Amino acid sequence: MDIFSNLMTGFGQALSWETLAFAFLGVLIGTLTGILPGIGPITAIALLIPMSYGMEPMSGLIMLIGIYYGSMYGGSTTAILVKTPGEVASVVTTLDGYEMARQGKAGRALSAAAIGSFIAGTLSTLGLMLLAPILAKAAYFFGSAEYFLMIVLAMTMVSSLTTGSALKAYISTLFGLSIAMVGIDLQSSVPRFSFGVPNLLDGIDFVLVAIALFAIPEALSNMARKGKAAKMDMQEFKGSNWMTREDWKRSVGPFGRGSLLGFIIGVLPGVGPSLASFLSYGMEKKLSKHPEEFGKGAIEGVSGPEAANNAGVGGALVPLFTLGIPGSATTALLMFIFMMYGMQPGPGMFDQNPELLWAIIASMYIGNVMLLILNLPLVGVFASLLKLPIVPLFVGVLAFSVLGVYGINYNQFDLLLLFGFGLIGYAMQRFDFPLAPAVMALVLGPLLEQNFRRSLDIANGNWFTFFERPISLVLSLIIFAVIIVPIVKTLGKTKRNGKKPTDTDINTNA
């Protein structure tokens, strides 16, 4: 009963005109962010952090979280119309959504994506509301050793579950950890990796690195192909814009299964909603009575994955609110924003900041309704933004990046770091080094170090403290399994096939 009374209190805060305005602004920017290819939610949130400095914590957080789940709605638009996913989690939607558009069913596919997103977003918020307070109480059983192992598990999972080379994912993780270590060691007051540069003694700002690794590489790569694609043509609508009775019949199951799967996958630290959409597509194809239609315009191939990636957002917020562990790269950035406002995500938040958290949860219910109203009638208007020339669009992104970073400390040295890390990010993207592990490691690095040192201090240097308690022992075994099992499976498989294993093979088995 306390949960629902707290929710009513949250609605009382969230239904004020000021909060509603910021919620609407957040979901609108999120929708536009999802529609525009190359500008994901993490880039949009990073760019808007300087603007949120002077805002009230409730207004700022509701707006920025609205961008997160709003971008999941918008990402399906370009995936369906022009086979260009606006967000990573919408990649799977291109498989059948674009085929439906070619068959004159673009409106029906877009409706299925919007309705599925609304259902999944609402159900995942309900799961967040019911599960988060329970996990917050259970989290008090976690000591510094358990937190250290949880962070190691999150880093291990985000590296092993990244598509492509597992070795490159681990290198990206180490790169993020190395950036996190720059500056003065808070325990010994010794400068680390500052190379005698006074500007590096305070460390490297997370927002700077987030903008550099995501906005700059995307702008450079899109501007570099101006000769091949100066504009992006929009697929014209044909037929009805609404789902038929048959579409509803075939989509109800995928909506429910995708919502459940997406929420569960989202709760796992370090995974995020992208994996959920891929798993949902595979599950729907296996369960379908007509698997041969997948890849040729099956509406289940749109309904299931779109529900899964939206439900993953609510799931990803659970470990952030309860354990202080980001569930994805975007929630890693949100974790920084909470700390920027003087709050530490974790089990104490529901006791220390209950009004704020319940207002955020209530605003997510409201935001999902706003998104449904925006996406159903106005999807054609949003899609027309793709007619903008690519070069001016991304020149604007570069200009916004410079203004945002300079506004943090008003320091020209930060601009040198911005473009230096931007070039590194461009090279990483060019050679298929994933950026998400680096962002996760950058945020979690200080927490990893603090909990590691605290654990050894409490145990008087005894390393067995990481295996003594039941929870820490289980976490250690899971970490061991995540690392070793894919290697063993790959070695066994390649031994039977008689070929030399590669790190990509290992990552595939993971």
Side-chain angles (χ1 to χ4, degrees), residues 258-278:
S259 300
L260 179 61
L261 178 66
F263 183 78
I264 293 172
I265 295 296
V267 169
L268 299 176
V271 180
S274 301
L275 178 67
S277 60
F278 283 94

Side-chain angles (χ1 to χ4, degrees), residues 13 38 64 89 93 108-109 140 153 161 169 193 215 291 301 310 319 365 372 385 436 438 445 477:
Q13 298 277 349
L64 295 174
T93 308
R108 290 158 60 182
Y140 281 111
L153 177 60
L161 289 171
F193 302 109
N310 280 273
Y365 284 109
L372 187 66
L385 293 172
L477 292 175

Side-chain angles (χ1 to χ4, degrees), residues 29-30 32-34 36-51 63-64 67-68 71-72 86-88 206-222 329-334 337 393-394 396-402 404-405 418 429 435-436 439:
I29 294 173
L32 295 173
T33 297
L36 297 174
I39 308 177
I42 190 168
T43 304
I45 292 172
L47 290 172
L48 290 174
I49 286 176
M51 188 184 82
M63 181 186 72
L64 295 174
I67 293 173
Y68 184 22
S71 66
M72 296 298 169
E87 233 293 305
V88 176
F206 175 81
V207 179
L208 185 155
V209 179
I211 294 175
L213 291 183
F214 286 92
I216 303 297
E218 288 297 335
L220 294 177
S221 60
N222 278 281
T330 307
T331 50
L333 182 56
L334 290 173
I337 297 166
L393 175 65
F394 284 97
V397 171
L398 287 175
F400 203 3
S401 300
V402 171
V405 168
L418 171 69
Q429 190 181 71
L435 299 175
V439 174

Side-chain angles (χ1 to χ4, degrees), residues 440-462:
M440 290 283 290
L442 176 59
V443 173
L444 295 177
L447 292 175
L448 180 79
E449 183 179 6
Q450 291 169 17
N451 284 286
F452 176 71
R453 286 179 165 181
R454 190 179 297 124
S455 300
L456 291 181
D457 287 342
I458 294 172
N460 294 319
N462 181 9

Side-chain angles (χ1 to χ4, degrees), residues 134-158:
I134 298 172
L135 285 179
K137 293 179 181 179
Y140 281 111
F141 293 100
F142 279 65
S144 54
E146 286 78 12
Y147 267 98
F148 168 76
L149 292 170
M150 279 288 293
I151 296 169
V152 172
L153 177 60
M155 290 184 179
T156 305
M157 291 179 70
V158 77

